[in-house]
Amino acid sequence: VVMRWKYSCPHCEAPLNPEERVVLQVESGDHRFLAGLHPQPGNYEVELPPGEEMAPGTRWEFFCPVCEKSLVSELSEDLCTLVVTSPGEPHRVYFSRIAGEEATFVVSAEGMLKDYGIHTDRYLEHLVHEKYMR
């Protein structure tokens, strides 16, 4: 059974994964394109337009393709955030905007935290801080 994760913009609430991918507008310098992210937290497959690449270690801006607001999180300038709803409560997803960095966090309304990826320790202090501020 595949869990159906529905991703949406934290600003305008537009759905961002109408198909199999979470579609975000990505920008670095003068590069601007749409990227398709795998909806399963911890899966770092990214679909890019032909000829585009995200070189490891480069920092990217992620925007909602609908309202065009930045998705950079208030918790850390290196994390972006989306709202995700799997059957039930909406959660927050935080993910690294550094290409090649594997760090994803899913935070429930109660502050329960699940983390994915091999670079999560770089951000845990930001999320633990957030958890206890609620």
Side-chain angles (χ1 to χ4, degrees), residues 54-131:
M54 296 172 85
T58 53
R59 179 194 276 171
W60 292 79
E61 297 277 349
F62 287 85
F63 298 91
C64 171
V66 179
C67 73
E68 298 197 336
K69 286 197 172 146
S70 171
L71 298 171
V72 175
S73 161
E74 69 288 351
L75 293 185
S76 164
E77 63 176 22
D78 287 336
L79 293 176
C80 288
T81 185
L82 293 172
V83 174
V84 64
T85 313
S86 57
E89 297 280 304
H91 290 44
R92 281 284 176 138
V93 172
Y94 297 93
F95 61 95
S96 172
R97 65 190 189 106
I98 310 293
E101 198 169 78
E102 299 187 359
T104 307
F105 304 89
V106 180
V107 183
S108 71
E110 300 81 50
M112 285 298 294
L113 186 68
K114 276 197 169 144
D115 57 89
Y116 306 84
I118 55 175
H119 300 120
T120 52
D121 54 342
R122 296 179 190 177
Y123 300 103
L124 276 172
E125 63 189 75
H126 297 288
L127 282 115
V128 167
H129 181 62
E130 159 82 353
K131 195 171 156 181

